[in-house]
Amino acid sequence: MEILAHYFIGIDLPNHVKQSLNDVQRKFPTSFSYRQWTHKSDLHITLTFLGELDDKQLTYIEYYLNKLKKRPFFLTMDQLGIFGNHEKPRVLWAGLKHSHDLHEIYRQISSMLTQMEFSIDTRPYRPHITLAKKWNDPSNNLDSKQFEMMQKNVQSIATSFEVDTIHLFKIFPQQMPKYQKYRSFPLRG
């Protein structure tokens, strides 16, 4: 049985944003016990995870992504957050100010995938940039004072950037970095 590659649709970040986030990652104290810190080159915003795709599915997705109706828009990164248990959070992330444009492009992509009979995540879309995941030390809890200090650090580098292209990324789980742009789709209104 052939093993198919996994893909996701997402937004790559400009190099200056990746560098700022990488600088923040390096400032985290060792008490932030995560098994995986996201490689600087892999920092991104996921629009939707696709999973395994065959050549026919890839062709259809590329066709539809070329037809997206959206002008370039700006996003602002401005917060730090966690998913999961507050003492041993499974994901540490940088967040974005709410963007109608980002939610609209997500809605268009979800609609396209539904038409193609893909199963899509039904949870509300929570755009974020994963900085680290998989809490590593069961005997260690997140220090809330250190977390607050790091939140201020992220807020101090709040930055806006333009999104003018979305990408179909291919996942290489055994490599570092793990994600490669497979195809790019410029936004045009």
Side-chain angles (χ1 to χ4, degrees), residues 11-24 43 45 73-80 94-99 102 129 131 151-163:
I11 296 168
D12 195 21
L13 303 175
N15 287 332
H16 75 279
V17 175
K18 287 182 180 184
Q19 186 59 56
S20 294
L21 288 171
N22 188 244
D23 292 345
V24 167
L43 294 165
I45 302 164
F73 58 95
F74 283 86
L75 293 175
T76 302
M77 180 190 66
D78 72 340
Q79 60 184 304
L80 184 67
L96 306 157
K97 283 188 180 176
H98 177 77
S99 165
L102 179 59
I129 303 158
L131 300 177
Q151 282 178 313
K152 288 180 180 145
N153 196 325
V154 168
Q155 289 166 346
S156 73
I157 62 160
T159 185
S160 293
F161 55 93
E162 185 176 29
V163 176

Side-chain angles (χ1 to χ4, degrees), residues 48-161:
T48 192
F49 177 75
L50 298 168
E52 292 182 348
L53 297 177
D54 61 29
D55 289 343
K56 184 177 179 183
Q57 290 170 314
L58 275 170
T59 300
Y60 282 128
I61 287 172
E62 290 176 42
Y63 173 78
Y64 281 108
L65 289 176
N66 271 317
K67 295 171 112 359
L68 278 177
K69 298 282 188 226
K70 193 76 194 124
R71 287 194 169 107
F73 58 95
F74 283 86
L75 293 175
T76 302
M77 180 190 66
D78 72 340
Q79 60 184 304
L80 184 67
I82 55 174
F83 291 140
N85 180 320
H86 287 282
E87 293 179 350
K88 296 170 181 46
R90 62 182 163 71
V91 176
L92 175 69
W93 50 263
L96 306 157
K97 283 188 180 176
H98 177 77
S99 165
H100 174 75
D101 292 314
L102 179 59
H103 283 270
E104 174 59 24
I105 203 162
Y106 170 78
R107 188 197 62 71
Q108 284 186 40
I109 290 169
S110 294
S111 176
M112 167 200 72
L113 292 172
T114 301
Q115 289 174 26
M116 294 175 60
E117 299 181 357
F118 270 85
S119 67
I120 58 170
D121 193 347
T122 57
R123 295 175 295 184
Y125 180 53
R126 297 192 52 197
H128 63 279
I129 303 158
T130 299
L131 300 177
K133 60 186 175 182
K134 299 185 180 174
W135 192 260
N136 198 31
D137 185 355
S139 65
N140 187 17
N141 289 342
L142 177 71
D143 181 322
S144 59
K145 288 191 187 326
Q146 286 181 330
F147 184 71
E148 287 173 21
M149 181 182 72
M150 294 310 296
Q151 282 178 313
K152 288 180 180 145
N153 196 325
V154 168
Q155 289 166 346
S156 73
I157 62 160
T159 185
S160 293
F161 55 93

Side-chain angles (χ1 to χ4, degrees), residues 5-8 168-172 178-182:
H6 285 73
Y7 297 85
F8 67 91
L168 182 59
F169 288 90
K170 190 172 184 178
I171 303 170
F172 296 89
K178 294 180 181 186
Y179 311 132
Q180 282 184 5
K181 291 177 197 168
Y182 180 74

